[in-house]
Amino acid sequence: MLSSMLVSGLITGTFYALMALGLTMIFGVLRIVNFAHGEFYMIGGFAYVLLYHSLGVPIVAALPAAVVAGAALGWVVERLLIRPVYAEMGARQQGRDEYAIIVTFALSILLIAAMTKIVGPWSLQGPRLIDGPPLLIAGIRVSPHQLAALGIALFFLLGTLYLLNYSLWGRQIRAVAQNRSAAAVMGVDVGKVSTIVFATAGGLAALAGALLSNMISPSPDVGAFPAIKSYVIIVLGGLGSPLGALIGGLLLGVIENLGAIYISFSYRDTYGLVLLVVILLVRPNGLFGEMRREV
Amino acid sequence: MLSRLSRLKRLAFTSAMALAIFANAPNGAHSQETFDIGVSTILTPPGSVIQGIQVRQALELIADWQNEQGGVLGKKIKLVVADDQGTTEGGRTVAERLITRDKVSVITGQASSNVVLASLEVAKKYGVPVVNVNGWASGIRTAGVPQVFSPGPYTTRVITATVDTLIALGSKKVFGAFDNTDAGFSLEKEMSKQLKERAPQIQYKSVILDRAAKDYLPVVLQIQAEKPDVVVSELIAPAGYILMNQLYDQGVAPTKDTMFFEMGGMTDNPDFWKNIRGAGKGALAFGHYHPKFDLPAIGVEFRKRFVERYKVEPGRLSFQAADALFVILDAAKRANSTESAALTEALAKTDYLGTRGQITFDKTPGPTFNQWVEVPYAIFQFTAVDQKLDDTTLLKQSNGPLDLKGIVAP
Amino acid sequence: MSDLIVVEDLTKRFGSLVAVDGVSFTIGEGELVGFLGPNGSGKTTVLNMMSGLLRPDAGRISLSGANVGGMTADRIARAGMIRMFQLTRIYPEMTVIENLLTAGFALGLDKRQATERADELLADLKILAYREAFASDLSGGQQKLLEFACCFMKAPKIALLDEPFAAIHPTMRQTLADYVRGTNAAGQAYILVSHDMPIVIDLCPRAICLAAGSVLADGPTDEVLREPAVIEAYLGPNHS
Amino acid sequence: MAARVSSLRRPAAPTSRTQLAIALLMLAALAPLPTLGLEIYWQGVVITSLYYAMLATNWNLLAGYTGLFSLAPAGFAMLGAYVTALLWTYAGVSPLIGIPSGAIVCAVVGLIIGILTLRLSGPYLALTTLALAEILRVIALNSFDITRGEIGLEVPALFSHQSSYYYMFIVAVGCLLIGLHWLLGKPCGLYLRAIRNDETGARARGVRTVFWKVFAFTISSGFCGLAGALFAHYVIIVSPSIGHLLVTGLVMSMVVLGGMGTLLGPLVGALLVNVSSEYLRAAGDYQHIVFPIIVIVFARFCREGLVGRIAMMFNARAGVNAARGSRTTEVLASS
């Protein structure tokens, strides 16, 4: 049971990390928390399921399309709602925080309500990526679909981390994250980087939603808990730290499952909060957080 | 000084606006020309909207149908639909609003136990009858409110049927999964009680699950370790779907060693097969309706009209809602009145052939008070993926005995 | 003259960059010291550490003999070391008088004292006409004067001024310089960071020059400015 | 020079006595409506609006005056409601003690969360309160043996007539607004606004920013709990839906629409949003679509909200006088 739950926790954690990675990238570059992150996940899940079920789009096309839908939403949100404000606020960090929290939280409620109006409150199960007999891993049966989903998630997770560290694209993002104005002086198009980061984050969350849609049938309000978990993870990993998001995600997945066995299954979703409190007490900058230069 | 004056003007303007808003309030001018029936049901989350829609469709269909034929006592039937969101506060405020603002003389349509429970006090306080469509919880009956009637399912009935089936299957070890709602808890209690009394040979374990959870793997592994003959689930959608899928994915149930028995009424949801693929094949289900039921003429007619109008088969909730409204109309006819007190009195004496059978209300205080005791039910089995209810194997006819001959191993 | 401020071996790193590297100096009661150094030499970082906004990685800062290293910024301010920023930090959505009262109350004045003091400062700095205006309505120079006034609601032991003369109107600059000179004559100590060399020469008898995070020169202003290393590091080769 | 000042848009005077007067007059205008025949149903709508106005006012104290963002006003209201409900159910404690206990428990929880998160700079408060709100709700939902899950706990009514609740909430909102006006007139009001305007600047000039942030969050949490506990004894049933995030969304839209950082804004916003919700609900549950859009539009283009915008218009007219220094300040007027 223990080893099964560890394996299962790591699998769940991978998907948490996929969501948290985008969130922490947004924070790194824009210094804001996207409170509509769970809805990117929801949109991804619905795009995948509806394209497949209602329009008959094959899976190989529906999955990328879901990612594109999430990325497009991220792009639009950044351009329409986020950009104008940090452009005009300049140095006044506080005003930007205020606006970002209000707008993204409102957006979250809006997207849930709009989706409920459009497709109804139903939940829809997504199709499997591949069918086949399950494999036995550490006492739990893992279906080929789950393995494929896990593989894709890991690929995107590690791929994004790799690109962040070694590509020009990633270097630009990290430059903006470290010092926005210095990056701008050095010729980095800060606005473009911000848009790209938001779109990437939207795409990653949407991918998580699509990949999990077979296990967790998406409904319009499906994003709330994955989002709350990614908030816990980014604090755990250190705000703005991509590696922290990965480790934090895996850690939360495992801790939740351990809590489910040893404490109580019913309160599984609450262990994240306990963890959050512990982090804030012991290591407020998170596992991989850096002290930031002030003033 | 100038600005102070302007401020006063602004104040006057604000007050005028506020008054205008109240003056234009959409208050239901109570008309003697119509029979106003309050419908409190789930139109928006967090409650299960699918249920609300099925209830509303049936009620609107019957209202139109009866109005075509001249209505009741020469009055047109008017449904005043309000959204209780399936929440407790929603249930209470909607009931209060329907009675005090819209001046309805009777309320129906409630699709969840907590909403009915929340409206008990209101019904008693204003003396307005409530005909409950889908509140299963025992508390609704044991409260003994004379204005509240239940022609729908109730806890004991579901459990009696389930335990009958478990005994007939010759099970030795049963695992039950219930959700953390009032219905879930009371069903769980009733289940262990009945199994202890009627089938002490059956080893029984159960678990209460969070309906909002998205991953039940720890529980599934626990069930796997127990190796029961039958897994019984009362979880409603979408939690029930997730549990079923995970049981299936882990190879726990339905398998040739372990049957799966669904008693939460999920199987007639329109999205059932959209969420359950292989997990549905071989599953046993308890239902309050089955297309192969021997329906009375009015039930056949209702079904025909429903399919014509909505292009889908009516589910059990639609039948339950239909019977609730028919019972109200019947009471109005017998009372020759649409006043609340007269309706309550007439409802208590109901003896009416509804869409699924002869409806009467029990007078014994306790878990069957004001309840249609003999509310019909079916036990059936899915034998293929995407199978329509019509094609499933019916193991128990509406009022017939349980016959497991047709059962197949998954 | 007793030591008001003693800074020993102050060090701050940002990642691999050593922004301040073992800076030490002392400042006596009533001194007015100019802080010089090219951009990025660590002047603002030293001020940030002294005012408690940044925690030093190593080193000691004491004010009147008491260690203030590790104290929070607000405690240091109340202890008498107050700070004016390079980028003006006032409360834009509050009125001028509210800005001043906030500082006064925080530094322990009561309402009557604070109001009298605020009016006095506004008159001295020639912005009394804007007493009731919102701070955001003031011009950039006026906002600087307001922030300056906020720092003097209760005379500090020492005021750390970061580029107070940058980008303000010459008349206001004169007002500000007069105020600094006047109060210094009455015993007010200052550290003045400025790029405006004539003003530093005019106001500050002593200067400290930082370069690349270290103290390059410390002494009477004219001597410091004659130091070849300073000329090379700070003023550039074509100045001589 | 004076002309330049007056031509600018100026923010609303946050401690304006005029706003308090208008708010109290609005409440006074609402007061006689039950005797003038306001239907029971619409009395209920006003009561709910006033309950929301209490939450909105407390949220405004944080967001509008101090610049802190809590996503748990509904969560604290739910917690306060459960405290009085649990005390009543399991210890038979009278609501007269239960209601203040709810407020105190919320204040203590607020104090703890505040100490944990507010010494850090960054979005920690918003993240933690969001998690707290959802998790408290999950606990309330899942602890069926204690809380009876979504069925909720029954609590006794305080009065037998709806109109009594009506007056109680009018008095409660009135007291809250007077109290807030008093508080903002004290030095601490200046500190809170200074923190929102420029926290680093405030800190560097001696304001104990952490202390005052924790203070504001603690009292705001306490009063949200009080509002929730009072509301609990009006609806008579305490269930997890009081703490739903949608409620927080509505509270936020009330404040943003009415005007953040204005005394009158939350009350106006609460009445506008809640009354129009009744119509939008009837039209097919559009309130959760319409209000977020309004919030986004206001946050983007009219950050001062309705009351702030109107106050600006007055201020612009009064601006010439202000620049001449003839307008007496309303700051500290009450102290």
Side-chain angles (χ1 to χ4, degrees):
Chain A
M1 184 87 168
L2 180 61
S3 62
S4 323
M5 290 313 287
L6 284 177
V7 170
S8 149
L10 287 173
I11 296 178
T12 321
T14 309
F15 293 102
Y16 288 169
L18 201 55
M19 278 199 77
L21 177 61
L23 197 65
T24 212
M25 281 169 68
I26 292 178
F27 187 85
V29 165
L30 289 164
R31 300 279 134 196
I32 60 166
V33 174
N34 172 26
F35 282 97
H37 208 61
E39 283 55 59
F40 287 177
Y41 170 94
M42 178 266 288
I43 296 280
F46 267 114
Y48 177 64
V49 179
L50 290 176
L51 281 173
Y52 177 80
H53 276 310
S54 307
L55 299 178
V57 176
I59 287 164
V60 285
L63 189 65
V67 177
V68 170
L73 181 67
W75 190 86
V76 170
V77 166
E78 201 276 339
R79 280 290 164 121
L80 278 186
L81 298 178
I82 308 292
R83 167 164 308 185
V85 174
Y86 63 73
E88 99 202 3
M89 294 266 178
R92 278 203 62 216
Q93 184 80 42
Q94 222 160 354
R96 198 206 294 166
D97 269 4
E98 167 179 320
Y99 172 84
I101 293 175
I102 293 177
V103 163
T104 55
F105 188 77
L107 182 70
S108 151
I109 289 176
L110 172 64
L111 287 174
I112 296 175
M115 194 50 111
T116 312
K117 275 280 166 227
I118 297 166
V119 301
W122 288 269
S123 60
L124 296 165
Q125 190 185 24
R128 283 166 186 263
L129 295 166
I130 32 175
D131 265 316
L135 292 88
L136 203 65
I137 298 174
I140 53 169
R141 300 218 285 185
V142 183
S143 67
H145 164 79
Q146 276 171 301
L147 277 182
L150 186 66
I152 294 172
L154 273 175
F155 176 79
F156 273 86
L157 202 53
L158 299 176
T160 311
L161 280 176
Y162 177 84
L163 289 177
L164 270 178
N165 279 311
Y166 299 107
S167 72
L168 176 65
W169 172 82
R171 276 203 296 277
Q172 289 193 341
I173 291 177
R174 284 187 302 142
V176 178
Q178 265 170 19
N179 191 331
R180 204 174 170 84
S181 43
V185 170
M186 277 159 20
V188 178
D189 185 342
V190 173
K192 198 168 135 196
V193 166
S194 308
T195 314
I196 288 175
V197 162
F198 234 96
T200 309
L204 290 175
L207 177 69
L211 291 176
L212 286 177
S213 65
N214 181 261
M215 288 83 97
I216 297 165
S217 311
S219 54
D221 60 354
V222 76
F225 266 98
I228 288 172
K229 282 167 189 173
S230 7
Y231 303 145
V232 173
I233 291 165
I234 61 169
V235 176
L236 170 63
L239 287 174
S241 159
L243 183 65
L246 174 65
I247 308 286
L250 297 177
L251 210 57
L252 183 64
V254 170
I255 287 173
E256 279 187 355
N257 271 8
L258 293 182
I261 316 179
Y262 293 113
I263 306 171
S264 154
F265 175 76
S266 300
Y267 298 108
R268 187 158 124 165
D269 286 330
T270 64
Y271 302 135
L273 182 72
V274 178
L275 189 63
L276 183 67
V277 168
V278 173
I279 307 158
L280 289 175
L281 269 176
V282 180
R283 200 183 156 84
N285 288 306
L287 297 176
F288 297 89
E290 38 183 312
M291 277 301 291
R292 287 192 51 79
R293 187 175 180 162
E294 270 188 80
V295 185
Chain B
M1 213 41 218
L2 177 85
S3 68
R4 196 155 290 273
L5 260 178
S6 316
R7 280 180 190 135
L8 285 175
K9 262 192 226 160
R10 149 99 191 126
L11 172 70
F13 175 70
T14 316
S15 330
M17 282 287 286
L19 283 174
I21 287 172
F22 289 121
N24 282 332
N27 51 10
H30 179 48
S31 155
Q32 292 303 314
E33 304 307 309
T34 55
F35 180 16
D36 291 2
I37 297 174
V39 176
S40 159
T41 197
I42 307 165
L43 302 181
T44 56
S48 168
V49 182
I50 312 166
Q51 298 194 343
I53 290 171
Q54 293 179 20
V55 168
R56 191 180 174 176
Q57 284 179 335
L59 294 178
E60 285 175 351
L61 173 88
I62 292 169
D64 292 346
W65 171 12
Q66 296 301 305
N67 282 338
E68 273 167 35
Q69 302 181 352
V72 171
L73 306 175
K75 297 181 181 183
K76 292 276 182 216
I77 300 160
K78 186 177 143 207
L79 299 180
V80 185
V81 182
D83 180 15
D84 60 39
Q85 298 184 300
T87 66
T88 311
E89 283 86 11
R92 189 175 172 281
T93 37
V94 160
E96 189 118 28
R97 174 170 22 148
L98 286 171
I99 295 169
T100 58
R101 186 189 71 175
D102 301 310
K103 313 270 190 299
V104 301
S105 42
V106 54
I107 295 176
T108 186
Q110 292 135 322
S112 58
S113 291
N114 57 330
V115 172
V116 186
L117 282 164
S119 64
L120 290 178
E121 281 307 308
V122 186
K124 200 153 89 180
K125 181 164 128 198
Y126 295 100
V128 171
V130 168
V131 183
N132 151 28
V133 167
N134 196 40
W136 298 29
S138 302
I140 298 169
R141 287 86 185 164
T142 50
V145 178
Q147 283 86 1
V148 178
F149 300 89
S150 306
Y154 59 107
T155 310
T156 354
R157 185 73 162 171
V158 185
I159 296 301
T160 312
T162 308
V163 173
D164 284 348
T165 314
L166 293 175
I167 294 171
L169 283 168
S171 337
K172 300 207 166 46
K173 204 168 183 183
V174 172
F175 200 102
F178 298 85
D179 69 10
N180 56 343
T181 60
D182 191 55
F185 278 93
S186 44
L187 286 170
E188 199 283 326
K189 254 179 221 142
E190 182 68 24
M191 179 99 169
S192 32
K193 189 178 134 218
Q194 286 204 20
L195 278 173
K196 214 171 281 166
E197 285 167 6
R198 297 174 48 202
Q201 75 278 13
I202 296 180
Q203 258 186 292
Y204 172 65
K205 272 196 180 160
S206 71
V207 65
I208 302 276
L209 297 176
D210 177 11
R211 205 173 62 171
K214 295 290 181 190
D215 174 18
Y216 296 108
L217 192 63
V219 174
V220 169
L221 293 177
Q222 193 191 338
I223 298 174
Q224 192 171 32
E226 293 288 334
K227 295 189 175 47
D229 312 320
V230 185
V231 177
V232 174
S233 164
E234 175 271 342
L235 266 64
I236 63 162
Y241 295 153
I242 296 172
L243 179 68
M244 270 184 87
N245 285 329
Q246 286 197 325
L247 282 169
Y248 176 71
D249 285 342
Q250 289 304 317
V252 178
T255 60
K256 63 180 186 345
D257 301 321
T258 308
M259 300 291 287
F260 182 83
F261 187 90
E262 203 286 317
M263 63 172 178
M266 276 192 332
T267 51
D268 56 5
N269 289 348
D271 61 350
F272 181 74
W273 285 118
K274 283 193 184 131
N275 288 285
I276 298 290
R277 308 299 300 161
K281 189 185 165 192
L284 294 173
F286 168 91
H288 277 96
Y289 169 72
H290 193 279
K292 287 184 194 158
F293 265 7
D294 299 324
L295 295 177
I298 189 169
V300 175
E301 175 70 12
F302 168 72
R303 184 177 169 190
K304 198 182 102 219
R305 285 174 177 261
F306 195 96
V307 174
E308 265 169 29
R309 178 155 164 178
Y310 300 114
K311 313 288 175 230
V312 287
E313 282 282 334
R316 65 160 176 103
L317 274 163
S318 300
F319 277 96
Q320 286 165 216
D323 280 335
L325 186 50
F326 274 130
V327 162
I328 292 170
L329 300 180
D330 166 66
K333 280 179 206 153
R334 282 185 289 109
N336 195 23
S337 160
T338 56
E339 292 304 320
S340 297
L343 281 173
T344 309
E345 206 176 306
L347 275 166
K349 293 179 195 139
T350 295
D351 191 355
Y352 176 76
L353 184 64
T355 59
R356 292 165 301 160
Q358 195 71 27
I359 303 171
T360 54
F361 292 120
D362 188 30
K363 288 279 139 283
T364 333
T368 55
F369 178 70
N370 271 358
Q371 169 69 43
W372 178 17
V373 178
E374 291 302 322
V375 59
Y377 69 88
I379 304 283
F380 54 96
Q381 186 185 30
F382 291 100
T383 53
V385 173
D386 272 337
Q387 193 170 46
K388 288 212 170 93
L389 273 185
D390 306 58
D391 303 328
T392 57
T393 316
L394 185 61
L395 303 172
K396 184 197 163 294
Q397 184 51 266
S398 57
N399 290 314
L402 182 65
D403 175 12
L404 294 182
K405 271 207 295 291
I407 208 163
V408 288
Chain C
M1 207 165 9
S2 62
D3 289 338
L4 178 63
I5 298 275
V6 180
V7 170
E8 287 170 313
D9 253 339
L10 203 58
T11 301
K12 182 74 201 177
R13 289 177 211 90
F14 295 115
S16 56
L17 171 81
V18 185
V20 174
D21 189 5
V23 165
S24 303
F25 57 84
T26 58
I27 289 170
E29 301 274 3
E31 264 200 287
L32 201 173
V33 181
F35 237 52
L36 308 173
N39 283 331
S41 60
K43 298 176 308 254
T44 299
T45 310
V46 169
L47 290 201
N48 282 345
M49 286 190 279
M50 290 176 73
S51 55
L53 292 170
L54 206 56
R55 192 177 287 268
D57 292 332
R60 227 181 95 84
I61 305 163
S62 66
L63 172 67
S64 304
N67 185 15
V68 296
M71 271 191 193
T72 54
D74 54 298
R75 260 185 84 188
I76 294 177
R78 291 195 301 276
M81 177 150 61
I82 205 148
R83 160 77 186 278
M84 186 178 161
F85 293 87
Q86 183 172 1
L87 293 168
T88 314
R89 285 186 176 275
I90 41 138
Y91 313 126
E93 292 177 12
M94 293 163 71
T95 60
V96 168
I97 184 70
E98 286 175 332
N99 266 271
L100 290 164
L101 291 180
T102 308
F105 292 146
L107 296 172
L109 303 184
D110 67 26
K111 195 189 163 198
R112 193 184 51 82
Q113 291 168 327
T115 318
E116 279 173 11
R117 177 71 179 147
D119 286 337
E120 190 182 314
L121 281 164
L122 290 174
D124 286 352
L125 296 169
K126 307 193 174 82
I127 46 174
L128 189 58
Y130 298 95
R131 190 181 191 270
E132 308 299 332
F134 281 95
S136 56
D137 290 355
L138 301 183
S139 72
Q142 291 166 335
Q143 291 188 349
K144 275 235 183 260
L145 289 180
L146 172 59
E147 183 182 353
F148 183 83
C150 285
C151 297
F152 287 89
M153 280 301 288
K154 186 179 170 194
K157 287 180 179 158
I158 183 165
L160 318 177
L161 310 181
D162 199 348
E163 297 286 1
F165 302 110
I168 80 172
H169 191 272
T171 22
M172 290 182 207
R173 182 181 338 201
Q174 200 50 51
T175 312
L176 201 57
D178 290 346
Y179 190 88
V180 171
R181 203 191 330 265
T183 48
N184 179 244
Q188 172 68 55
Y190 287 95
I191 289 179
L192 173 65
V193 172
S194 182
H195 274 102
D196 190 328
M197 216 40 72
I199 277 198
V200 174
I201 294 167
D202 180 27
L203 283 176
C204 308
R206 177 184 160 201
I208 296 173
C209 180
L210 292 183
S214 303
V215 175
L216 205 59
D218 179 354
T221 307
D222 46 349
E223 282 175 30
V224 167
L225 290 176
R226 263 180 273 133
E227 194 91 17
V230 173
I231 296 171
E232 195 177 326
Y234 180 52
L235 302 167
N238 53 355
H239 188 268
S240 54
Chain D
M1 273 312 235
R4 196 191 69 78
V5 171
S6 64
S7 66
L8 280 170
R9 278 206 199 160
R10 6 172 87 259
T15 52
S16 154
R17 261 196 284 184
T18 318
Q19 284 191 37
L20 179 67
I22 295 175
L24 294 180
L25 280 171
M26 277 174 70
L27 292 174
L30 284 173
L33 292 182
T35 48
L36 297 177
L38 184 69
E39 286 178 56
I40 296 264
Y41 169 70
W42 282 102
Q43 286 182 24
V45 173
V46 175
I47 292 173
T48 318
S49 306
L50 292 172
Y51 159 66
Y52 278 130
M54 290 181 80
L55 295 184
T57 302
N58 281 304
W59 193 74
N60 186 38
L61 169 64
L62 293 179
Y65 288 108
T66 322
L68 299 177
F69 284 82
S70 160
L71 295 177
F76 279 112
M78 185 191 82
L79 181 61
Y82 268 107
V83 169
T84 178
L86 291 169
L87 283 175
W88 164 259
T89 312
Y90 295 102
V93 174
S94 141
L96 292 180
I97 296 167
I99 293 172
S101 309
I104 290 166
V105 168
C106 287
V108 170
V109 173
L111 180 68
I112 295 169
I113 299 279
I115 290 172
L116 275 175
T117 59
L118 292 173
R119 60 204 168 97
L120 310 165
S121 66
Y124 294 99
L125 182 71
L127 292 174
T128 310
T129 46
L130 180 75
L132 177 80
E134 275 302 89
I135 282 161
L136 281 179
R137 206 168 61 85
V138 169
I139 293 177
L141 205 56
N142 285 4
S143 309
F144 189 91
D145 293 339
I146 301 163
T147 61
R148 297 183 66 228
E150 67 179 359
I151 300 268
L153 293 167
E154 281 174 30
V155 290
L158 296 175
F159 313 109
S160 50
H161 289 289
Q162 175 125 337
S163 52
S164 311
Y165 285 103
Y166 188 95
Y167 301 128
M168 178 183 83
F169 272 96
I170 285 184
V171 170
V173 172
C175 290
L176 191 62
L177 288 174
I178 291 171
L180 186 62
H181 182 258
W182 174 81
L183 185 79
L184 289 170
K186 293 276 155 200
C188 116
L190 289 176
Y191 298 154
L192 299 184
R193 290 165 56 208
I195 290 169
R196 177 176 180 215
N197 270 261
D198 190 332
E199 188 175 341
T200 307
R203 201 146 33 109
R205 287 192 286 274
V207 177
R208 295 169 213 253
T209 50
V210 176
F211 175 85
W212 291 112
K213 284 195 292 181
V214 173
F215 168 79
F217 186 62
T218 304
I219 58 169
S220 161
S221 307
F223 278 105
C224 281
L226 177 72
L230 287 175
F231 190 64
H233 288 279
Y234 162 65
V235 290
I236 317 183
I237 287 175
V238 175
S239 83
S241 52
I242 300 178
H244 205 278
L245 276 184
L246 289 176
V247 177
T248 295
L250 275 183
V251 168
M252 193 186 266
S253 43
M254 289 160 185
V255 180
V256 173
L257 181 68
M260 281 172 66
T262 64
L263 202 64
L264 181 58
L267 176 62
V268 170
L271 284 167
L272 272 178
V273 168
N274 197 49
V275 171
S276 48
S277 277
E278 292 300 314
Y279 291 86
L280 287 167
R281 203 199 307 276
D285 196 55
Y286 285 99
Q287 73 266 37
H288 295 310
I289 294 183
V290 170
F291 290 119
I293 294 177
I294 292 180
V295 166
I296 292 171
V297 170
F298 267 69
R300 178 85 185 77
F301 299 106
C302 182
R303 278 165 35 88
E304 59 279 358
L306 290 178
V307 170
R309 178 53 67 90
I310 290 164
M312 265 185 187
M313 278 152 41
F314 283 122
N315 285 342
R317 233 184 289 166
V320 181
N321 298 335
R324 287 195 198 115
S326 63
R327 199 185 80 178
T328 51
T329 180
E330 282 174 319
V331 180
L332 304 171
S334 60
S335 61

